[in-house]
Amino acid sequence: SHISNEKTAFAPAKTKRACEVIYDQIYNKIVQGELEPGDRLPPERVLAEQFQRSRPSVREALRMLQQNLFLYTSDAADEAR
């Protein structure tokens, strides 16, 4: 028989999008001090290879980091804030 109560109620399992995983990794390096203000990130192409994800996913993660003021773009290079 099917048992349904609060003990067996689960939230939907959600998989993070690639850009969110990339965001989290870069964010954590900033918070932990591994990336410091003025540090330059590798080019988008290199980041895509390292994360084994598409350049648009990397671009979206960088955009999210910029929106949250963790990155700024200077001379087309992404730098940690």
Side-chain angles (χ1 to χ4, degrees):
S1 74
H2 179 70
I3 299 171
S4 180
N5 62 33
E6 286 185 39
K7 286 184 180 181
T8 59
F10 297 99
K14 294 183 180 177
T15 303
K16 285 189 175 186
R17 293 168 41 208
C19 64
E20 293 169 335
V21 175
I22 294 166
Y23 174 100
D24 288 346
Q25 285 195 45
I26 295 173
Y27 171 83
N28 287 332
K29 284 191 178 288
I30 292 169
V31 171
Q32 294 166 2
E34 292 178 47
L35 279 173
E36 297 179 349
D39 284 352
R40 291 180 180 269
L41 292 175
E44 206 175 81
R45 174 187 51 77
V46 174
L47 288 172
E49 289 170 5
Q50 288 180 359
F51 287 114
Q52 297 182 6
R53 292 288 182 247
S54 68
R55 286 177 73 168
S57 292
V58 169
R59 200 172 299 129
E60 176 67 9
L62 297 177
R63 188 190 63 74
M64 290 163 50
L65 286 156
Q66 280 183 288
Q67 274 189 326
N68 293 324
L69 305 178
F70 290 109
L71 284 184
Y72 66 95
T73 302
S74 171
D75 299 325
D78 296 307
E79 297 180 1
R81 204 181 260 281

